[in-house]
Amino acid sequence: MMRRSKKERQQLLTATIKENPFVTDEELAEKFQVSVQTIRLDRLELSIPELRERIKTVAEKRFESEVRSLPIDEVIGEIIDIELDQSAISIFDVKEEHVFKRNQIARGHHVFAQANSLAVAVINDELALTAKANLQFKRSVKLHERVIAKAKVTKIDEKTGRTFVEVSSFVNNELVFVGKFEMYRSKNL
Amino acid sequence: MMRRSKKERQQLLTATIKENPFVTDEELAEKFQVSVQTIRLDRLELSIPELRERIKTVAEKRFESEVRSLPIDEVIGEIIDIELDQSAISIFDVKEEHVFKRNQIARGHHVFAQANSLAVAVINDELALTAKANLQFKRSVKLHERVIAKAKVTKIDEKTGRTFVEVSSFVNNELVFVGKFEMYRSKNL
DNA sequence: CGAGCTCTTATGACTAGGTACTAAGAGTAG
DNA sequence: CTACTCTTAGTACCTAGTCATAAGAGCTCG
């Protein structure tokens, strides 16, 4: 890489670090064919923190998002009340990561996921899977709204164990979603 | 925290670091009421790397998963073919994070999410939302399986713009999921 | 032409959070 | 009593920096 003007170098520097925060001053000096000191002055001017600070920031963000995405692994939304094989209630706060950037409307699959995982959770069995579902998205859910999903077990087929769950989701008492789920369970009752 | 035996301390040490990799030897020494050297000997014995290495690892993992979770923000699964307002195909590889730990079966909402986001994507409009959906989970999808979802636009209501999309998902040519979506779009045609 | 300016490079002292190694003391078991 | 484990201490060294100071090169303005 040939030598460039200060301005040009600093622009490239910013871009380079943004793309790969794991790069050291020495590597950058090599890349831009300037001294390490120059790179440090550049970072100072551009308020770019040192390597270890950058790495730490990246790691911390991962740790934060880890916590956030962990419940996704089990139940979407927080279950606040449950009576197995009868009913359950969960709440789900719509955050930035759940909406379309363009219009701040929650993606359908998140609303569905809350309802679906509540339908799974309400079933008193180790294995519960969704067999069929009938969904109606009544109105769109927006960023920062709190969705309260209420599941009610409407019928359990005594022979097959097929369980029918109806989930209604509300935002401020307004119905936003209704889902009828037919659930499969491993053990018969 | 009172002093414990070496074994006990090392177990707690492992747990502590696992829970919070950002802790320094000095903080650990304080916590366990031993010298910093003892902590270092412990880490050596337990093959626990130093703070900066730990942080780096966390950061690197985030960087890897960044790439993986980025498309999640837009479309679940990778779109490999699309003809707007006609049809679309996407593939979705089922990974650890998509399955129930207990039985390695993919959670329904991931299969739904792939289909739903494909239904959204196929629509030639800035704003497309799911109004209704009818789902059938034909058989369970397991870890490491590759789901190929095919969406077909079956009808577009010329007045309202309501668009009907049928999505069929396959694993090795075997039908695993069918979804009928009624989609809402902002602009009439 | 020289003074002042920016830019670059160098140097030295210091920092955090370590590694690697040596040494020494306390307590315990055989 | 000796041998061993465990713990603590201290030293030299490392990386990837910070901060401050100094000096030289190249340009521009009067």
Side-chain angles (χ1 to χ4, degrees):
Chain A
M1 181 170 287
M2 58 156 282
R3 293 188 69 125
R4 297 174 146 82
S5 74
K6 186 181 174 181
K7 210 170 177 178
E8 204 179 345
R9 186 188 60 233
Q10 292 195 343
Q11 278 182 355
L12 276 165
L13 189 84
T14 311
T16 306
I17 292 175
K18 196 171 183 181
E19 195 201 317
N20 172 208
F22 300 87
V23 66
T24 63
D25 286 357
E26 209 172 315
E27 288 163 350
L28 290 164
E30 177 75 11
K31 174 166 183 169
F32 294 112
Q33 286 295 302
V34 291
S35 72
V36 173
Q37 284 73 10
T38 302
I39 296 295
R40 290 185 177 154
L41 279 171
D42 284 347
R43 278 200 300 98
L44 201 71
E45 280 182 44
L46 300 164
S47 316
I48 297 171
E50 63 168 288
L51 169 70
R52 291 188 288 228
E53 285 307 310
R54 296 195 303 262
I55 290 182
K56 209 175 159 188
T57 309
V58 172
E60 276 164 354
K61 277 193 191 146
R62 178 175 129 90
F63 234 66
E64 284 166 27
S65 69
E66 191 88 329
V67 182
R68 202 187 56 212
S69 72
L70 204 123
I72 281 173
D73 233 37
E74 287 312 317
V75 177
I76 309 253
E78 196 188 339
I79 291 180
I80 52 171
D81 186 60
I82 191 159
E83 267 189 86
L84 290 171
D85 280 337
Q86 299 222 13
S87 63
I89 298 175
S90 81
I91 55 175
F92 168 60
D93 291 310
V94 178
K95 304 208 178 112
E96 312 280 353
E97 63 266 34
H98 307 121
V99 301
F100 289 97
K101 278 167 205 145
R102 217 176 287 162
N103 49 32
Q104 311 280 81
I105 291 176
R107 316 188 127 251
H109 62 253
H110 287 117
V111 177
F112 168 77
Q114 178 189 17
N116 186 53
S117 67
L118 193 62
V120 170
V122 76
I123 289 174
N124 186 14
D125 208 310
E126 277 166 32
L127 176 64
L129 295 174
T130 311
K132 291 182 189 167
N134 217 300
L135 321 175
Q136 286 181 59
F137 294 84
K138 296 292 190 179
R139 84 140 166 86
S140 53
V141 177
K142 304 214 177 57
L143 182 60
H144 301 315
E145 288 188 326
R146 165 165 290 187
V147 184
I148 298 179
K150 300 182 184 180
K152 197 166 272 179
V153 175
T154 53
K155 191 182 145 196
I156 305 179
D157 186 300
E158 298 203 358
K159 279 185 192 143
T160 59
R162 284 289 164 119
T163 305
F164 296 79
V165 185
E166 239 185 273
V167 182
S168 306
S169 299
F170 303 85
V171 171
N172 296 323
N173 290 318
E174 190 187 347
L175 188 67
V176 295
F177 169 90
V178 186
K180 293 187 184 184
F181 297 87
E182 187 181 329
M183 308 297 291
Y184 166 86
R185 55 166 76 202
S186 62
K187 281 181 289 197
N188 293 356
L189 307 176
Chain B
M1 182 172 283
M2 58 156 285
R3 294 188 70 123
R4 298 175 146 82
S5 74
K6 185 181 175 181
K7 210 170 175 178
E8 205 180 345
R9 186 189 60 233
Q10 292 195 343
Q11 278 181 358
L12 275 166
L13 189 85
T14 311
T16 306
I17 292 175
K18 196 171 180 180
E19 196 201 315
N20 172 209
F22 300 89
V23 67
T24 63
D25 286 357
E26 211 171 314
E27 288 164 350
L28 289 164
E30 177 76 10
K31 174 166 184 167
F32 294 111
Q33 286 295 302
V34 291
S35 72
V36 172
Q37 283 73 10
T38 303
I39 297 295
R40 289 185 179 156
L41 279 171
D42 284 348
R43 278 202 298 99
L44 201 71
E45 280 183 45
L46 300 164
S47 315
I48 297 172
E50 62 166 289
L51 170 70
R52 290 186 290 227
E53 285 307 310
R54 296 195 301 265
I55 289 182
K56 209 174 159 187
T57 310
V58 172
E60 276 163 354
K61 276 192 192 144
R62 177 175 131 90
F63 235 65
E64 286 165 25
S65 70
E66 190 86 329
V67 183
R68 202 188 56 211
S69 72
L70 204 123
I72 280 173
D73 232 36
E74 288 311 317
V75 177
I76 310 254
E78 194 189 341
I79 292 180
I80 52 172
D81 186 59
I82 191 158
E83 268 191 85
L84 290 171
D85 280 337
Q86 300 223 9
S87 64
I89 298 175
S90 81
I91 56 174
F92 168 61
D93 291 311
V94 178
K95 303 209 176 110
E96 313 280 353
E97 64 265 34
H98 306 121
V99 301
F100 289 95
K101 278 169 204 144
R102 216 176 287 163
N103 49 31
Q104 312 279 82
I105 290 177
R107 315 189 128 252
H109 63 252
H110 286 118
V111 177
F112 169 75
Q114 179 190 18
N116 187 50
S117 67
L118 193 63
V120 170
V122 76
I123 289 175
N124 186 14
D125 209 310
E126 276 166 33
L127 176 64
L129 296 172
T130 311
K132 292 184 188 165
N134 216 301
L135 321 174
Q136 287 181 60
F137 295 84
K138 297 291 191 182
R139 85 141 167 86
S140 53
V141 177
K142 302 212 178 57
L143 182 59
H144 300 316
E145 287 187 327
R146 166 167 290 189
V147 185
I148 297 178
K150 299 181 184 178
K152 197 166 269 178
V153 175
T154 54
K155 190 182 145 197
I156 305 179
D157 187 300
E158 298 203 357
K159 278 187 196 145
T160 60
R162 285 289 162 119
T163 305
F164 296 79
V165 184
E166 240 184 273
V167 181
S168 305
S169 300
F170 303 85
V171 171
N172 297 323
N173 289 318
E174 190 188 348
L175 188 68
V176 295
F177 169 90
V178 186
K180 292 186 183 181
F181 298 88
E182 187 182 328
M183 309 298 291
Y184 166 86
R185 56 165 76 202
S186 61
K187 281 181 289 198
N188 293 358
L189 306 174

